[in-house]
Amino acid sequence: QLEVEVTDTSGKTLDGPVRLDISVIDQNDNRPMFKEGPYIGHVMEGSATGTTVMRMTAFDADDASTDNALLRYNILKQTPTKPSPNMFYIDPEKGDIVTVVSPVLLDRETMESPKYELVIEAKDMGGLDVGLTGTATATILIDDKNDHPPEFTKKEFQATVKEGVTGVIVNLTVGDRDDPATGAWRAVYTIINGNPGQSFEIHTNPQTNEGMLSVVKPLDYEISAFHTLLIKVENEDPLIPDIAYGPSSTATVQITVEDVNEGPVFHPNPMTVTKQENIPIGSVVLTVNATDPDTLQHQTIRYSVYKDPAGWLEINPTNGTIGTTAVLDRESPHVQNNVYTALFLAIDSGNPPATGTGTLHITLEDVNDNVPSLYPTLAKVCDDAKDLRVVVLGASDKDLHPNTDPFKFELSKQSGPEKLWRINKLNSTHAQVILLQNLKKANYNIPISVTDSGKPPLTNNTELKLQVCTCKKSKMDCSASDALHISLTLILLSLLSLFCKSF
């Protein structure tokens, strides 16, 4: 839009101003352009003729109200050209790409490639020869549908496994023409017959699609030397309605179990028995029983000691009778919670021989075979002490009730003009020694006997060493500078002993 006026040489306006409109007429100087790529479309195999795959849209910068931007679309090239060079059609005005072949030809499994590339041309001027063009490539992928069931490569598979062994025994192979990247190809295996004890399992190898048949519960040759499994295979995705699984989707597996020399088995295991400790050497503890699972081989069994921590036991190699070779001691460090544990072997006559292990728990009943012990055995007191309660004595016994406390505490008879000490019972396990007068600095041996409550009772005669010390300024001097004072009874006993030896 311009404004125009006429002036003279002096600049005086003679006419105007007048508005002048200039219209710029579009020239077809812009090619169509595809700006939204890459262009990728998908269509399911077997789709009906005329199924829309995708839309191609180009842009032209020329005047949209003129033919300069009036676009028409065309397929210039299709790669590959099989099974038909014209698999697709593009709507020239809308740019919609549709299938033009029959569903039978749109079969992914028979195609040279499931991917097609179309060179699409967009031409302005309504598609006239004088129009400008632009091109783009459309990639069309033929998607798989589950129209092929998996089929076993053989009707019967063979496997061999040793009894007692677990793990994969055979890989079952199948073929499937569907896309390996989809659930239409991935196989799912099921054992439909021959597995009542759930001894077998089957899983899919995700890389190869094979069925890995495994033994998960050890097989027993003596029960069954052969097994026949019926197995079916299906896809993760369901088949299309007009396709069904056929006979090739099932197969049998013949499994042969190989005999292995198995170790004998103790019955029961562990074995338990209760015995009194200190039973005579050579006493029978138990006769063990082991059987050989290899019933078809008619083997013999021999027995031996495997672990006998205290060395107390022996076993008859032929009949399995266990006897004692030493005294059973409940208080032994090898006995835990009154139970002594030993291990025995049963060895068959196979080649090579097989071994089974049996555990024997012997519960030992207590016998009063331990004298009580006294503590402490040393006491100190000041020669001028006001408190003449010297020490509290305690007693302990390795045996169990009723062969322990209550304990009886006694002093040996004291001879002389006066008694020097006495003992008072405090409770069932403790007593107190009390001086009857202050004593001179010296070491004294006080004979004490402690008796348990067993039947018959056991007595321990021991001595309490009493040190009478000099105490000054909270310091105790216990050096034995004075003569040792002991009870007259002990002196007489010593003299009597010497007298007897001289005759």
Side-chain angles (χ1 to χ4, degrees):
Q1 294 179 346
L2 305 177
E3 285 189 349
V4 181
E5 66 179 4
V6 181
T7 61
D8 59 15
T9 56
S10 64
K12 180 180 179 181
T13 299
L14 300 179
D15 194 5
V18 176
R19 192 178 79 172
L20 173 63
D21 292 334
I22 302 176
S23 296
V24 180
I25 300 173
D26 183 40
Q27 180 181 356
N28 189 20
D29 55 354
N30 287 278
R31 293 180 178 276
M33 297 180 63
F34 292 91
K35 294 183 176 182
E36 298 176 358
Y39 297 92
I40 300 175
H42 292 264
V43 62
M44 186 70 69
E45 66 171 328
S47 296
T49 303
T51 300
T52 300
V53 180
M54 60 191 299
R55 171 172 286 188
M56 298 284 288
T57 304
F59 169 77
D60 195 312
D62 290 321
D63 188 354
S65 64
T66 67
D67 287 350
N68 296 338
L70 183 59
L71 303 182
R72 294 292 182 265
Y73 299 95
N74 182 42
I75 298 175
L76 295 182
K77 184 179 180 182
Q78 171 191 300
T79 306
T81 59
K82 295 179 180 180
S84 168
N86 299 306
M87 299 285 292
F88 306 96
Y89 165 79
I90 189 168
D91 186 303
E93 296 183 3
K94 297 179 180 179
D96 290 338
I97 299 176
V98 298
T99 62
V100 292
V101 294
S102 68
V104 176
L105 291 180
L106 202 63
D107 184 358
R108 187 182 185 281
E109 285 73 38
T110 60
M111 290 178 171
E112 180 180 316
S113 170
K115 180 174 73 173
Y116 287 85
E117 290 187 347
L118 306 179
V119 178
I120 306 299
E121 177 190 67
K123 181 183 288 188
D124 60 19
M125 298 302 292
L128 296 177
D129 291 340
V130 295
L132 302 178
T133 61
T135 60
T137 299
T139 300
I140 299 176
L141 300 175
I142 311 302
D143 292 336
D144 187 37
K145 63 182 178 181
N146 197 9
D147 55 351
H148 293 88
E151 297 180 342
F152 284 102
T153 57
K154 295 187 294 184
K155 286 298 296 180
E156 184 175 293
F157 294 85
Q158 303 290 332
T160 301
V161 60
K162 293 182 178 180
E163 65 172 331
V165 175
T166 59
V168 177
I169 59 173
V170 65
N171 290 322
L172 310 182
T173 53
V174 297
D176 195 317
R177 298 171 63 188
D178 292 313
D179 184 1
T182 66
W185 178 81
R186 291 190 290 269
V188 178
Y189 296 87
T190 306
I191 302 173
I192 59 177
N193 196 14
N195 191 28
Q198 306 301 310
S199 298
F200 303 93
E201 287 184 359
I202 187 165
H203 300 280
T204 304
N205 185 321
Q207 281 74 41
T208 64
N209 218 28
E210 293 177 341
M212 301 181 297
L213 181 63
S214 303
V215 176
V216 293
K217 292 182 181 179
L219 304 176
D220 191 340
Y221 172 85
E222 284 69 31
I223 294 177
S224 178
F226 299 97
H227 296 267
T228 300
L229 303 182
L230 182 61
I231 298 176
K232 70 175 181 179
V233 61
E234 298 174 312
N235 289 130
E236 286 185 3
D237 293 345
L239 295 172
I240 60 175
D242 54 340
I243 300 295
Y245 293 104
S248 297
S249 295
T250 59
T252 57
V253 181
Q254 300 292 343
I255 301 167
T256 301
V257 182
E258 293 183 344
D259 190 19
V260 173
N261 188 23
E262 302 170 89
V265 178
F266 283 85
H267 307 282
N269 195 18
M271 302 160 281
T272 59
V273 66
T274 299
K275 294 292 179 181
Q276 196 173 62
E277 66 171 334
N278 298 343
I279 59 175
I281 296 175
S283 298
V284 173
V285 177
L286 178 73
T287 297
V288 301
N289 178 32
T291 58
D292 194 335
D294 300 300
T295 54
L296 303 180
Q297 298 185 22
H298 306 292
Q299 300 181 127
T300 59
I301 296 176
R302 296 184 63 83
Y303 300 94
S304 66
V305 178
Y306 179 40
K307 288 185 179 180
D308 179 16
W312 291 343
L313 305 172
E314 65 181 358
I315 188 169
N316 186 301
T318 55
N319 64 19
T321 298
I322 299 173
T324 62
T325 59
V327 175
L328 306 182
D329 183 9
R330 191 198 65 83
E331 291 75 33
S332 167
H334 298 292
V335 177
Q336 303 294 326
N337 297 322
N338 304 324
V339 177
Y340 181 69
T341 300
L343 302 180
F344 296 88
L345 299 179
I347 307 167
D348 66 22
S349 56
N351 186 20
T355 302
T357 303
T359 302
L360 172 62
H361 296 307
I362 305 175
T363 300
L364 294 175
E365 295 178 338
D366 188 40
V367 172
N368 192 21
D369 58 348
N370 289 275
V371 298
S373 59
L374 197 68
Y375 59 91
T377 58
L378 174 66
K380 298 180 180 181
V381 65
C382 294
D383 57 3
D384 59 351
K386 294 180 180 180
D387 186 358
L388 298 181
R389 292 174 296 181
V390 176
V391 65
V392 173
L393 298 177
S396 63
D397 196 311
K398 292 182 180 179
D399 293 315
L400 300 176
H401 284 286
N403 296 320
T404 56
D405 60 89
F407 298 110
K408 180 181 179 182
F409 299 88
E410 292 181 304
L411 287 173
S412 299
K413 292 182 179 181
Q414 301 179 60
S415 300
E418 54 184 341
K419 295 184 178 180
L420 301 179
W421 43 69
R422 76 170 185 266
I423 189 166
N424 291 343
K425 186 174 181 179
L426 298 178
N427 54 37
S428 63
T429 58
H430 291 78
Q432 190 170 51
V433 176
I434 302 174
L435 293 182
L436 300 179
Q437 62 183 31
N438 289 109
L439 302 177
K440 292 182 180 181
K441 178 182 179 183
N443 292 336
Y444 299 85
N445 288 335
I446 303 175
I448 298 173
S449 66
V450 56
T451 304
D452 61 25
S453 297
K455 293 181 180 180
L458 296 180
T459 300
N460 181 17
N461 295 307
T462 185
E463 290 183 342
L464 170 65
K465 184 177 181 181
L466 176 63
Q467 292 182 333
V468 180
C469 309
T470 301
C471 301
K472 294 180 179 180
K473 297 181 180 180
S474 303
K475 292 184 179 180
M476 182 177 284
D477 180 10
C478 297
S479 58
S481 58
D482 295 337
L484 178 65
H485 289 263
I486 60 175
S487 68
L488 181 59
T489 302
L490 295 178
I491 294 175
L492 291 175
L493 289 174
S494 300
L495 291 174
L496 181 60
S497 174
L498 291 173
F499 179 76
C500 291
K501 289 181 179 179
S502 64
F503 289 93

